[in-house]
Amino acid sequence: DRPPGAPTPPTASEAIRAFSAAIVFVIDSTISMGPYIDRTRDAVARVHEAIEKADLGRQVRFGLVAFRSSTDAVSGLEYLTQVYADPGTVKDGNDFLARVKAVKPATVSSARFDEDSYAGVMAAVEGIDWDPFGSRHIVLITDAGAIDGSDSLSSTGFNAQQVRLELVRKGIALGALH
């Protein structure tokens, strides 16, 4: 029983309408990912389409961060991380998909097989305003291992445990597709 004067709990449909989620894809955009970037773009488009069909487009927002590796080691990589789509600023599905199309693989190889995945994840953790979203998710997509924080090419100095702590601190769930 509810105490007198307590607000009426929302109905299921009201709760769904009030729900908000952000899903940020953090994708390896190195040369080896070339064939997978197109597949990832297609998969992201399908997920977005399913969200729109379920009429949840206002509640579920998408973002995308690309990462590579040390530009000090290989200047032709152009960038270490780049936010292509921030879920808080993307206008709608078409805007998001247009931004995703801009992701291209690097034209040169990295210094090593492992890439700076932690830099990509941390760019999403720190560079996105997660506050408006009740449900927060990062999907890491890569074909390589992560450069450990003790490695001279690490931009963050973080190991997996330190990245996990930052994710927990912000209430962000992380999934990986390798």
Side-chain angles (χ1 to χ4, degrees), residues 6-175:
T8 304
T11 65
S13 64
E14 289 170 337
I16 289 172
R17 279 194 298 276
F19 172 80
S20 66
I23 302 169
V24 176
F25 297 93
V26 175
I27 184 169
D28 176 343
S29 64
T30 57
I31 198 167
S32 64
M33 283 290 291
Y36 306 109
I37 290 173
D38 287 338
R39 290 184 200 162
T40 299
R41 193 178 294 120
D42 293 343
V44 167
R46 285 192 305 274
V47 168
H48 180 268
E49 185 179 306
I51 294 294
E52 289 292 322
K53 282 184 181 176
D55 198 26
L56 294 173
R58 289 188 177 142
Q59 288 83 18
V60 181
R61 307 299 289 213
F62 293 96
L64 188 131
V65 175
F67 69 91
R68 293 180 176 167
S69 197
S70 173
T71 56
D72 290 337
V74 180
S75 62
L77 287 175
E78 300 170 15
Y79 61 84
L80 173 63
T81 66
Q82 185 168 331
V83 177
Y84 280 87
D86 180 324
T89 62
V90 170
K91 296 176 189 128
D92 56 28
N94 290 330
D95 182 29
F96 174 71
L97 294 174
R99 293 180 191 207
V100 169
K101 284 182 184 176
V103 178
K104 306 286 184 225
T107 57
V108 297
S109 293
S110 305
R112 301 195 187 134
F113 176 75
D114 288 344
E115 307 297 352
D116 207 345
S117 301
Y118 299 149
V121 171
M122 291 309 300
V125 169
E126 296 171 345
I128 303 290
D129 179 9
W130 295 94
D131 290 342
F133 304 103
S135 182
R136 304 163 183 174
H137 306 271
I138 292 175
V139 179
L140 172 65
I141 303 168
T142 184
D143 65 348
I147 294 174
D148 189 69
S150 62
D151 191 297
S152 64
L153 293 183
S154 170
S155 66
T156 64
F158 285 6
N159 62 29
Q161 181 64 15
Q162 291 165 309
V163 172
R164 187 188 75 73
L165 289 172
E166 292 302 308
L167 291 162
V168 168
R169 186 175 64 76
K170 290 265 193 153
I172 303 169
L174 173 70

